Amino acid sequence: MTNEELCMLAQEGNADAEEELICNLLPSLQALAAKFEVQYSGLQIESDDLLQEGSIGFLRAVHSFRPEKGNLFQTYASRVSENAMMDYVRKCASAIPSTGQMLSLDVEPNNDQDNDESSFYDRLFSEYTKTPEQICIEKETYEEIHHALNMISLRESTYLRYRYGFDDDLLHDREETAAHFHLSESRARSIERTALDNVRLELPW
């Protein structure tokens, strides 16, 4: 039975299928955790912690995978797990005081008017009084956005997750985001536009 078939069974609540998927892909998760441990050795992150975070991402991938998108489950799950590990690395890194300019989280967003990323954000994440139907639509939209973020490059996904507060619920302006990733503002603008375009290509609407 293929991983894709096992995933469909797991989504229907088949615990045996989910366990078999985990066994099939555990070696690749372990290898990825070991790679991250070496790559970010300065943060003294243990591979067991990375593996745990990657496993949480993996289980999330099991229930968000959509075969009609044309992706292999292993490819999709690896990307989601890698993003989960990267999120953990970023959280560990943020706990270490910066030796350079401190970033202010109190800066009000200052989106430029020369592109439409602010309206894109408002359209996806604005708060409003919700009916039951709106709650369902919002939940589906949120899942679709996360799926789209998992399908673009890790660098672009990491940028957008910080820029639009997916991890800390704070919208960071471009200047702050550029400083966070040690980019020039022009380079940050370029990455942002490309990343948003790639996200839009992955969205079904």
Side-chain angles (χ1 to χ4, degrees):
M1 188 173 293
T2 67
N3 287 332
E4 289 72 30
E5 291 170 335
L6 288 171
C7 184
M8 293 301 97
L9 290 175
Q11 289 182 1
E12 295 172 1
N14 189 315
D16 290 336
E18 184 175 287
E19 184 67 24
E20 188 172 346
L21 268 179
I22 293 174
C23 291
N24 288 350
L25 299 183
L26 182 58
S28 64
L29 286 178
Q30 291 172 327
L32 185 59
K35 174 186 174 183
F36 269 60
E37 183 181 27
V38 173
Q39 186 174 355
Y40 300 100
S41 58
L43 297 176
Q44 297 183 339
I45 301 173
E46 296 184 359
S47 61
D48 287 346
D49 293 331
L50 288 163
L51 181 59
Q52 181 178 353
E53 295 298 322
S55 297
I56 293 172
F58 172 82
L59 292 176
R60 188 163 60 241
V62 169
H63 296 285
S64 62
F65 177 67
R66 298 293 180 267
E68 63 270 17
K69 293 287 186 178
N71 300 303
L72 293 175
F73 174 74
Q74 182 168 357
T75 302
Y76 175 71
S78 295
R79 175 62 61 81
V80 177
S81 298
E82 185 174 0
N83 283 342
M85 291 187 195
M86 179 56 71
D87 287 343
Y88 180 69
V89 168
R90 289 181 57 225
K91 288 177 182 178
C92 291
S94 67
I96 300 175
S98 173
T99 56
Q101 179 182 4
M102 296 299 292
L103 301 180
S104 170
L105 300 183
D106 298 324
V107 178
E108 288 296 324
N110 181 30
N111 292 324
D112 295 338
Q113 300 301 316
D114 58 351
N115 55 45
D116 64 347
E117 69 269 22
S118 58
S119 62
F120 177 71
Y121 178 90
D122 292 338
R123 182 162 59 91
L124 298 182
F125 306 110
S126 61
E127 290 294 328
Y128 49 83
T129 302
K130 304 177 181 68
T131 65
E133 180 182 6
Q134 287 171 324
I135 291 173
C136 291
I137 292 173
E138 186 182 56
K139 181 176 184 295
E140 181 176 336
T141 301
Y142 183 79
E143 291 175 350
E144 288 170 344
I145 293 168
H146 271 274
H147 172 79
L149 286 171
N150 288 329
M151 298 309 297
I152 65 177
S153 73
L154 179 60
R155 180 177 185 177
E156 292 175 352
S157 175
T158 300
Y159 180 96
L160 291 182
R161 284 175 183 276
Y162 180 84
R163 172 78 161 89
Y164 292 112
F166 281 89
D167 300 318
D168 58 10
D169 295 321
L170 292 170
L171 178 62
H172 304 281
D173 63 25
R174 186 181 297 122
E175 181 180 359
E176 184 179 349
T177 304
H180 179 79
F181 291 109
H182 307 290
L183 300 168
S184 66
E185 286 197 51
S186 61
R187 181 58 177 158
R189 185 193 305 275
S190 175
I191 292 174
E192 189 171 318
R193 284 177 171 171
T194 301
L196 287 172
D197 286 344
N198 288 335
V199 165
R200 291 187 182 97
L201 290 175
E202 296 294 339
L203 292 172
W205 34 269

